[in-house]
Amino acid sequence: MVTVMYRTALRKVEKVIFENQANAQEFKKRRILSEEKEVVLHGAGINLKEYRYRFYPNNEKIHFLYLGRIMKEKGMDELFGAIERLRKDGCEFVLDLVGFFEEEYRKKVEHLQKEGIKSRRLCNDVPVCVC
């Protein structure tokens, strides 16, 4: 049923953009989209040469890391709701937020800090924060 829905929805499109080859292949395999209509983005994701793998530290506290734009469309309301609930339940944790802040979320983060949320990094500049 989902395949039929995709075929119907994409029937008249000029191009469909995929973040990886695997998804494009799946659409091709299911005959949802012809190869001429697919565009695969190369280089989406994290540059592993610049940001090498590091072992996760063995911390006693739960550690949350969010890396991305800090905005409503990325689920920040849900994240902050969960953080607030954990705080009220007495859980100890660290919250790192790295990325561009929309102004309304900067104020929410500042409020959480006043409430005792420990945050080691609040950063707009990803390369500076990661180093």
Side-chain angles (χ1 to χ4, degrees):
M1 183 168 161
V2 173
T3 300
V4 173
M5 291 171 65
Y6 270 121
R7 282 186 192 142
T8 303
L10 301 175
R11 186 175 296 145
K12 295 182 181 182
V13 299
E14 289 182 32
K15 299 284 182 186
V16 174
I17 300 171
F18 295 94
E19 286 196 16
N20 59 62
Q21 191 63 44
N23 290 348
Q25 290 293 334
E26 186 66 28
F27 272 54
K28 200 177 337 179
K29 181 178 97 178
R30 293 176 183 252
R31 297 181 183 184
I32 295 170
L33 196 66
S34 65
E35 193 170 347
E36 301 82 47
K37 290 185 175 187
E38 77 179 37
V39 175
V40 179
L41 297 178
H42 300 285
I46 296 172
N47 180 342
L48 295 177
K49 291 178 184 174
E50 189 170 343
Y51 302 103
R52 287 185 228 108
Y53 176 79
R54 295 181 189 173
F55 286 101
Y56 194 80
N58 186 11
N59 295 325
E60 292 180 19
K61 295 180 183 177
I62 298 170
H63 188 125
F64 295 99
L65 168 65
Y66 177 82
L67 178 67
R69 288 176 291 163
I70 298 159
M71 56 194 294
K72 183 177 185 70
E73 294 81 4
K74 298 288 185 173
M76 289 297 104
D77 291 338
E78 291 80 4
L79 173 65
F80 289 127
I83 293 299
E84 191 66 37
R85 185 171 175 187
L86 287 171
R87 187 188 65 76
K88 286 180 181 175
D89 288 348
C91 294
E92 289 196 33
F93 57 89
V94 174
L95 172 64
D96 285 347
L97 300 173
V98 180
F100 172 78
F101 279 86
E102 285 189 344
E103 193 56 37
E104 81 176 273
Y105 290 106
R106 180 179 299 281
K107 291 174 185 172
K108 287 183 181 184
V109 171
E110 288 170 358
H111 170 74
L112 289 173
Q113 286 179 312
K114 287 177 186 172
E115 295 290 317
I117 301 296
K118 295 195 178 7
S119 182
R120 297 185 305 179
R121 292 183 186 164
L122 300 173
C123 185
N124 272 337
D125 188 355
V126 174
V128 169
C129 287
V130 174
C131 295

